[in-house]
Each structure stands twice: as structure tokens, then as C-alpha cells.
């Protein structure tokens, strides 16, 4: 049954993951997954931002080479794909950048982790509570709602620009709702204005022909008891016939299919009867194969 699932959003020791490529392949095979894809955080050296969770500059070629070598070793047992998780950072980094296009990955996950506020330094919406609170205070004069508007603007801009195949953890900005986070970062993720922005993003994503992952990473790490995106967001995506795929954002081999059962149920609740599996590229676009849930 699990053969109907893949795990395309994964991290290894090339960036901030705990296990190496071979260990991840073996675990994916033993779990009975149909495919594993490697989506290292692409380097962001060109942005001038400091990070300890991205791949170091200059290692893209080596990464793709190593994943391809694993593909050969595992041929006939499990499909192995090359991928990248690329940041969209307004004005600084995009999946369209030359180094990303030249890397020639099988697929690209486009993710908004960073916001570039009107004032102050860029910051991540999924970092520690202090970073998010500081970002809201310094970047948006303490206005959390303005920060969230900027987040959805960034997602919509990324979708309009393109250069990727899968939208990563679409409603990541809800990480401010983790229990114990400060009041300033928390909000009602089902309020009307917020869902209106989600609807705009859903339209942009549908227009761009992207797939959206149903990421169980926040559940796997014990942050929030829901998929990313959540059920209300998935209902909107369903209305626009956006294809979805379950993924784990696994940073360890034992999490490759973590909480897939709950994610499957969430998709059924949202009205989906199928999710998609990667089936190669054609004409510069990823091809998705519908697979019953
Ligand atoms: Zn991410
Ligand atoms: Zn990731």
C-alpha cells in the first residue's frame, strides 16, 4: 500500500539533515516507498545572508553527482531523484537563478522561508521564536498581520516568477502558532482576511501549474499537530484542482514517511481522492502521475 507514496522533500548531511544519501535510500526502500528524492537547501551565499542550514556554496554539482550515483546503486529497487529546495527571497534569491537552472535537478521545490521587511534585516518565518518576534518588531513595527501579508505576497510573487515545480510547505508562516511562542507571532489561521490571501495564492499556484506538497515536517518535529498546508488551505487548493503530494521534509531516515497516514486522511477530508507521484520531465515541466490515495 505504501508503494503509492514517495518522499521527495528530504535533507541529508549535504545541508542540515542527519543522515547521508545512502542511509536515506536504504530506509526509503525498507519502508516500501516507491521513490525518494533529495532536495537539499540550495546555497544562498549570493544573498550575503549567513546560514548554517543551507548547502555550502560550490557543492551543487557534487550533490547532484552523489544522488545520481545512488540512483545507479538502487536501480530496480527504488526510484531515486535529484531535487533542490530553493529559497525565494525577494530581490535576493529565486528558483530562476542561473546556478539553479544549470544544476539540472529532476525537480525544484520553491520555498519561502525568508521575508525581506520594509525595515531591518531579512529573517526566517520558521526560525526560533526570538527571530520571528524580532522580525515582526523591527521589520513591521510590531504588526504581525503586516508580516503575514508580506509572506503571502512573497508566495504569490514566487508563483508568478516560476522556475520550480513544487510549492514547499505553503502555509509555513503559521509556525508562529507553536505553543509557547509569544503573543505577537500567534494568529487565527482560519480568519477571513488570512484565508483570502491563501485563496489568492491558490489562484497563482493553479495558474502556474505547480504541485503543492502536503508536508508533515511540523508534525514530525512535534511543532504543530497538522500538515503544512492545513485542511482549510487544502480545501481551497482542491477547488482550483491543484495537484498535491505527501512529503515529510525528513531530516532523518526514520522520518521519511512520518505521519503519512494523517496526511492522507487530511487530503481525503479536503476532498482529494488522489495525490501525485513524480514521473520525470517533459518540455521543461515536471510530469505528475495521479495515484489513488
Ligand atoms: Zn523548507
Ligand atoms: Zn525542507
Amino acid at each position: 500500500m505504501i508503494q503509492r507514496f514517495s518522499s521527495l522533500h528530504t535533507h541529508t548531511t549535504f545541508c542540515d539533515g542527519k543522515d547521508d544519501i545512502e542511509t536515506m535510500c536504504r530506509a526509503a526502500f525498507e519502508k516500501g516507498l516507491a521513490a525518494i528524492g533529495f532536495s537539499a537547501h540550495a546555497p544562498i551565499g549570493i544573498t550575503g545572508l549567513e546560514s548554517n542550514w543551507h548547502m555550502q556554496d560550490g557543492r551543487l554539482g557534487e550533490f547532484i553527482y552523489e544522488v545520481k550515483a545512488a540512483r545507479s546503486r538502487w536501480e530496480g529497487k527504488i526510484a531515486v531523484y535529484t531535487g533542490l529546495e530553493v529559497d525565494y527571497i525577494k530581490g535576493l534569491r529565486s528558483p530562476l537563478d542561473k546556478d539553479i537552472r544549470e544544476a539540472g535537478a529532476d525537480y525544484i521545490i520553491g520555498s519561502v522561508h525568508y521575508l525581506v521587511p520594509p525595515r531591518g534585516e531579512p529573517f526566517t518565518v520558521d526560525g526560533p521564536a526570538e527571530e520571528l518576534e524580532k522580525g515582526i518588531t523591527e521589520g513591521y513595527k510590531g504588526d504581525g498581520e503586516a508580516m503575514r501579508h508580506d509572506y503571502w505576497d512573497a508566495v504569490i510573487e514566487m508563483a508568478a516568477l516560476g522556475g520550480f515545480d513544487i510549492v514547499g510547505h505553503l502555509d509555513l508562516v503559521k509556525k508562529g502558532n507553536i505553543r509557547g511562542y509569544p503573543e505577537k507571532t500567534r494568529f487565527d489561521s482560519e480568519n477571513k482576511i488570512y484565508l483570502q490571501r491563501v485563496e489568492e495564492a491558490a489562484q497563482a499556484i493553479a495558474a502556474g501549474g505547480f504541485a503543492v506538497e502536503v508536508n508533515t515536517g511540523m508534525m514530525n518535529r512535534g511543532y504543530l499537530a497538522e500538515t503544512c498546508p492545513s485542511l482549510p488551505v487544502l480545501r481551497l487548493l482542491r477547488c482550483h484542482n491543484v495537484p498535491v503530494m505527501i512529503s515529510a521534509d525528513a531530516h532523518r531516515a526514520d522520518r521519511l514517511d512520518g505521519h503519512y497516514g494523517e496526511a492522507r486522511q487530511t487530503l481525503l477530508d479536503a476532498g482529494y481522492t488522489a495525490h501525485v507521484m513524480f514521473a520525470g520531465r517533459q518540455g521543461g515541466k515536471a510530469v505528475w502521475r495521479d495515484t489513488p490515495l
Side-chain angles (χ1 to χ4, degrees):
M1 154 169 172
I2 194 91
Q3 273 276 345
R4 292 181 304 184
F5 297 99
S6 59
S7 200
L8 295 193
H9 188 155
T10 69
H11 299 282
T12 67
T13 46
F14 265 91
C15 51
D16 58 344
K18 184 176 157 282
D19 292 313
D20 61 19
I21 291 170
E22 185 66 7
T23 306
M24 297 286 268
C25 287
R26 190 177 311 113
F29 173 68
E30 285 169 0
K31 286 174 180 294
L33 291 165
I36 180 169
F38 292 94
S39 58
H41 291 290
I44 58 163
I46 58 162
T47 67
L49 296 169
E50 299 241 334
S51 159
N52 57 9
W53 48 281
H54 289 80
M55 193 195 303
Q56 285 165 5
D57 274 26
R59 295 195 74 192
L60 269 176
E62 179 192 350
F63 169 69
I64 299 287
Y65 177 87
E66 289 296 337
V67 176
K68 283 182 176 169
R71 171 186 296 167
S72 303
R73 291 196 297 275
W74 288 90
E75 199 175 344
K77 293 191 181 120
I78 182 169
V80 177
Y81 298 117
T82 59
L84 286 171
E85 182 178 12
V86 181
D87 283 272
Y88 174 69
I89 313 175
K90 193 183 176 77
L92 298 173
R93 183 56 147 160
S94 126
L96 288 173
D97 289 342
K98 189 162 172 274
D99 60 330
I100 302 301
R101 283 185 284 119
E102 286 179 354
D106 292 322
Y107 62 89
I108 304 284
I109 300 173
S111 293
V112 175
H113 303 102
Y114 287 89
L115 292 185
V116 183
R119 290 162 292 275
E121 296 294 306
F123 65 96
T124 60
V125 298
D126 64 330
E130 311 78 63
E131 182 179 351
L132 186 54
E133 192 178 24
K134 183 167 175 272
I136 294 172
T137 305
E138 292 179 3
Y140 299 93
K141 293 185 178 163
D143 184 352
E145 191 164 326
M147 181 276 288
R148 289 185 287 277
H149 276 296
D150 243 14
Y151 175 81
W152 288 107
D153 282 347
V155 171
I156 292 163
E157 282 166 16
M158 178 176 81
L161 286 169
F164 63 97
D165 308 292
I166 304 165
V167 181
H169 38 63
L170 175 59
D171 60 0
L172 186 68
V173 72
K174 73 181 173 195
K175 197 163 167 194
N177 276 335
I178 293 179
R179 194 197 306 249
Y181 267 43
E183 195 59 40
K184 197 173 282 177
T185 75
R186 301 172 67 91
F187 68 104
D188 169 15
S189 63
E190 295 189 32
N191 84 64
K192 233 173 150 180
I193 298 168
Y194 180 81
L195 286 180
Q196 176 53 40
R197 299 311 314 274
V198 176
E199 167 63 18
E200 282 177 55
Q203 288 174 15
I205 290 163
F210 307 111
V212 168
E213 65 165 351
V214 183
N215 184 316
T216 61
M218 287 208 199
M219 302 166 96
N220 288 331
R221 294 177 179 201
Y223 293 148
L224 289 176
E226 61 180 43
T227 53
C228 196
S230 60
L231 177 58
V233 176
L234 286 166
R235 286 201 173 109
L236 293 176
L237 294 168
R238 175 71 194 86
C239 289
H240 293 282
N241 291 314
V242 172
V244 289
M245 79 171 58
I246 299 174
S247 67
D249 209 341
H251 288 65
R252 294 164 35 172
D254 61 356
R255 299 284 163 82
L256 280 164
D257 59 354
H259 295 277
Y260 268 30
E262 289 105 308
R264 175 180 173 272
Q265 187 57 52
T266 304
L267 280 177
L268 291 170
D269 292 345
Y272 279 97
T273 55
H275 75 141
V276 293
M277 302 274 263
F278 183 67
R281 301 190 73 80
Q282 218 164 42
K285 297 204 86 176
V287 177
W288 302 110
R289 192 178 66 240
D290 270 342
T291 310
L293 279 167

